[in-house]
Amino acid sequence: MNTLFKIVPIAVLIVILSAFASNNTHDDAYDVGDTIEDFSLKNVDGKQVKLSDFDAAKGFILTFTCNTCPYSVAYEDRIIALDKKYASKGYPVIAINPNNPNTRPGDSFEAMQKRAKEKGFTFPYLVDEGQKIYPKFGATKTPHNYVIQKTKKGLVIKYIGAIDDSSRNPDAVKEKYLETAVDALLAGKEVKLKKTKAIGCSIKV
Amino acid sequence: MRGTIVILSLLLATACKQKETTNPKQVASVEAKTNEQEAVDLEVYDFEGFKAFLNKEDDKTYVINFWATWCAPCVKELPYFEELNANYKDKNLEVILVSLDFPSMYDTKLKPFISAKRLKSKVIALNDPSENKWINQVDSSWSGSIPATIIYNKNERKFFERSFTYETLEQEVKHLK
């Protein structure tokens, strides 16, 4: 009985603490203006990719995306178009799939390889093995997009949010938030709209 | 003869209601029934129209759940919202399921889903492309991922960007002021 009295409060405390821990995972995540650490992730071609591999890049368009989310699928062609337009200007697209393939078999490495081939991805499509990278970025959903600029102090996040204002219908886009951000950086200007929001699929853990 | 057919089909229909089996005949009649129910009217709102559901000032508690048929964790937790709605409908609580399915899926996915799952809670569709504006108006802490849920009454409002079990959902309702 005595032991029970001791164990129960401790168990309750652990439950409460772990609840807080899981809620706070993203609180110390990167924000606009923060310098990010490089990462090394496996690409669909089996090779490891690091941001430092891109010597000529002025920055990156980083997108957390996946095979299985309709919002991600709706943006695939627009992501390909972004890479086509901006890779040559120094801002290549880097795509990372943050989903746990055990929860979402449609996001397995093989399924990613297949999708990249089908769509003719011109950019790396990386696996977030062990789901270690997306929490650092505070990504909560797919698609979740970041514009990163190479500066003297390192790789700095300049924009977080949506690609544009019409996830559901590519023909109804009025504002291209992400392109406006990259264009500003290419012109040596500050990004005006630094954060936007869009609906997306929760990242599968 | 006609009478026998009517009775037989009635029997079949009740059998189907109770349990879904793999018997091809019964599957066929389940489908026929489903098709009938697809005539269900779906209310579709833009955010201006939808706002009324977030700002009711009567004595009820409202549980507003944002979901979509393609969202696996949303579909997983739907039965808990249904259960809550059933258990609390006489206790001044209303569950409203807000579908974010794309308009192209209303007829092909959403309405058949509502029929097949026999959803009793009110289901509406929100179709407004200005997500960057309205997500913050729902709750400034919402990053935009679903499932997401608001539980509110005239005294208090809580927002959750997470999944629920029946127990955790009921607990939040009970803790509301």
Side-chain angles (χ1 to χ4, degrees):
Chain A
M1 192 65 186
N2 251 336
T3 0
L4 194 66
F5 271 120
K6 279 177 194 162
I7 290 169
V8 169
I10 291 170
V12 169
L13 192 69
I14 288 169
V15 169
I16 292 170
L17 283 177
S18 54
F20 275 112
S22 61
N23 279 340
N24 287 347
T25 314
H26 299 306
D27 277 3
D28 46 5
Y30 300 142
D31 202 346
V32 170
D34 285 352
T35 307
I36 66 160
E37 278 174 34
D38 198 357
F39 48 75
S40 178
L41 295 174
K42 187 168 78 171
N43 192 9
V44 282
D45 65 5
K47 291 176 188 155
Q48 293 293 120
V49 169
K50 296 196 292 284
L51 296 179
S52 54
D53 296 338
F54 295 78
D55 291 334
K58 295 171 185 166
F60 300 93
I61 297 166
L62 184 67
T63 177
F64 289 93
T65 188
C66 69
N67 287 359
T68 52
C69 170
Y71 284 94
S72 294
V73 173
Y75 270 112
E76 278 173 337
D77 290 338
R78 284 176 268 182
I79 291 169
I80 293 168
L82 278 173
D83 191 58
K84 203 171 174 188
K85 182 171 178 184
Y86 287 105
S88 57
K89 293 181 179 177
Y91 279 81
V93 166
I94 308 283
I96 301 177
N97 187 331
N99 283 347
N100 181 347
N102 296 323
T103 315
R104 272 275 146 138
D107 284 315
S108 69
F109 183 64
E110 292 73 27
M112 285 172 63
Q113 287 180 312
K114 190 164 170 261
R115 193 63 188 159
K117 201 177 170 190
E118 275 168 6
K119 292 299 292 183
F121 284 176
T122 51
F123 45 83
Y125 188 22
L126 311 174
V127 186
D128 188 0
E129 273 176 309
Q131 299 189 300
K132 293 193 174 75
I133 301 304
Y134 88 78
K136 288 190 179 184
F137 281 83
T140 57
K141 60 192 158 68
T142 53
H144 209 145
N145 310 286
Y146 298 76
V147 174
I148 296 159
Q149 186 182 34
K150 257 190 206 173
T151 70
K152 278 174 193 165
K153 63 169 187 168
L155 298 164
V156 178
I157 295 183
K158 293 291 182 177
Y159 172 81
I160 302 177
I163 288 176
D164 56 45
D165 65 350
S166 179
S167 57
R168 305 179 152 218
N169 181 4
D171 299 326
V173 172
K174 291 196 194 89
E175 288 181 68
K176 296 181 174 180
Y177 305 129
L178 190 142
E179 285 200 24
T180 309
V182 179
D183 287 341
L185 296 176
L186 286 170
K189 292 175 186 162
E190 267 298 300
V191 175
K192 278 184 190 152
L193 188 57
K194 295 180 171 68
K195 281 185 182 183
T196 60
K197 286 186 177 180
I199 295 292
C201 308
S202 58
I203 290 172
K204 306 300 180 289
V205 292
Chain B
M1 184 61 190
R2 272 184 82 182
T4 326
I5 292 172
V6 169
I7 289 167
L8 262 176
S9 47
L10 269 175
L11 274 173
L12 254 173
T14 20
C16 295
K17 249 187 179 172
Q18 278 156 1
K19 56 174 184 178
E20 290 171 17
T21 69
T22 46
N23 183 314
K25 259 188 181 170
Q26 295 193 346
V27 168
S29 72
V30 165
E31 275 169 8
K33 197 162 172 57
T34 309
N35 283 336
E36 255 172 52
Q37 289 176 347
E38 273 170 37
V40 165
D41 271 341
L42 179 70
E43 296 172 26
V44 182
Y45 295 90
D46 61 6
F47 190 74
E48 271 312 300
F50 169 69
K51 264 202 288 199
F53 292 99
L54 295 178
N55 296 299
K56 302 208 180 207
E57 289 177 348
D58 50 32
D59 290 328
K60 270 192 188 174
T61 293
Y62 291 91
V63 178
I64 317 277
N65 173 248
F66 295 90
W67 70 291
T69 57
W70 44 258
C71 164
C74 305
V75 170
K76 194 180 168 196
E77 68 175 7
L78 272 190
Y80 311 135
F81 286 86
E82 283 283 280
E83 198 180 336
L84 187 79
N85 195 53
N87 293 345
Y88 281 81
K89 65 180 172 194
D90 301 329
K91 294 173 188 161
N92 250 350
L93 180 141
E94 187 177 354
V95 170
I96 299 170
L97 304 173
V98 184
S99 161
L100 292 168
D101 281 87
F102 295 175
S104 59
M105 291 175 173
Y106 291 164
D107 289 332
T108 55
K109 289 269 162 59
L110 181 57
K111 288 178 187 176
F113 184 95
I114 294 168
S115 313
K117 301 280 180 188
R118 300 194 173 87
L119 297 184
K120 300 282 188 298
S121 308
K122 185 180 178 70
V123 181
I124 60 173
L126 172 58
N127 179 32
D128 193 320
S130 315
E131 290 164 9
N132 187 43
K133 294 192 181 87
W134 64 256
I135 290 171
N136 277 326
Q137 290 185 48
V138 172
D139 195 280
S140 59
S141 74
W142 188 12
S143 82
S145 84
I146 55 173
T149 301
I150 289 178
I151 301 173
Y152 81 94
N153 59 22
K154 59 185 176 185
N155 302 319
E156 199 183 4
R157 174 180 299 258
K158 290 180 183 174
F159 173 80
F160 306 90
E161 188 167 353
R162 52 165 279 193
S163 297
F164 280 103
T165 60
Y166 183 76
E167 289 71 29
T168 51
L169 184 60
E170 188 181 40
Q171 203 166 23
E172 290 301 345
V173 166
K174 283 182 174 168
H175 285 171
L176 207 66
K177 280 176 204 161

